[in-house]
Amino acid sequence: MGKTDMGTAEEMTESRADVMGDSQVSMQAQSSSPHSASPLELERNDLYSDYMLYSRTEILFVLRALIKQKALITVFFDHGKNLLPTSLLAILSGDSALVFDCSRNQELNRRLLSTEHLIFTTSLDRVKIQFRLERLTETIYDGQPAFQGKLPDALLRLQRREFFRLSIPMATPVVCKIPPQEQIAEIQGEQESGLAPEQSDTKVEPMEFFLFDISGGGIGLTVPENQNNRLPVGTTFTGCQINLPGEGIITIALRV
C-alpha cells in the first residue's frame, strides 16, 4: 500500500523482487484528515520518534523477518523523486552488511548506486517499516548481481492505526466501482446549470477492482499491474460505489 511513481512503475517491475501479479493500491476516504502522514515518515522523526528502534538486536530481528517473508521493499532516492522495488536477500559479515536484490534496468541501478541518502520502506504483518542507508555498492550474491549496504543504525516500526483494518475473504469478494471522472464532472455541471443530463451512446464503463481490505479511513484495492496508470497517486475519484454484504451500496469519494 505504499506510494509509487506510476510514470516509472513499468520499468521497475522487472526486478526479481517483483513476485506479485497484482499491485496493492491504498485508497483513502476523502473525509480522512487532510494532515495524513507522508509515506516517508522516517523524514519526520520529530513526529515518529516513539516508533524508532535503535537496538541492534531489535533491528536484526525485524530485518530477518523481512527476509523470511520475502517482503517487497521500495527504495526511495533523489529526495523521493525516484524509486526502485527490491527485497532483502541476506545479512552477512557478522550481521553488519545487508544484501538487496537489484533491478534488470541497468540505468535505474546506476542512478541508485550514484545516490546518497536512500530510504527503504516496506511492511511486516501490516506494520510499516522504514530505514535509511547512506549508500549502496555493487556486489555478487548467489551468482547474481546485487546491492550491498551497512546495517542501519535505526529503524522505524510504525505500528499505529486510527482505524481497525478488516481483510476481505477471497470466498466473498467485494468490488469497488470507480466511474469515469469526465462524465461525473459533466453531469455535475449540467445539474448546477439547471440542465437535464444528456444521454450518451458512448458511455464509458466504470473501473472495477477487488477490495483486499477496508477500514473507516479507506480501502485497499488489488489492481492488475498493467492498469496502475489508471490510478495516479494523489488523484481523487468521486462517485465511487462499493456493495458491502449486509449493508448495500455505499457511494464515496476516494483518494489514491
Side-chain angles (χ1 to χ4, degrees), residues 146-166:
F147 299 132
Q148 181 170 316
K150 295 182 179 179
L151 184 77
D153 296 326
L155 181 145
L156 175 71
R157 186 176 183 272
L158 186 58
Q159 188 172 14
R160 186 194 67 177
R161 281 207 181 277
E162 183 179 357
F163 302 102
F164 175 74
R165 187 168 290 270
L166 178 67

Side-chain angles (χ1 to χ4, degrees), residues 25 33 35 37 51-52 63 77 105 159 169 175 190 192 202 205 231 233-234:
V25 177
S33 168
H35 304 293
Y51 303 95
M52 296 297 296
L63 294 177
F77 58 104
N105 187 313
Q159 188 172 14
V175 173
E190 291 172 341
E192 291 174 358
T202 59
E205 295 296 324
L231 299 175
V233 173

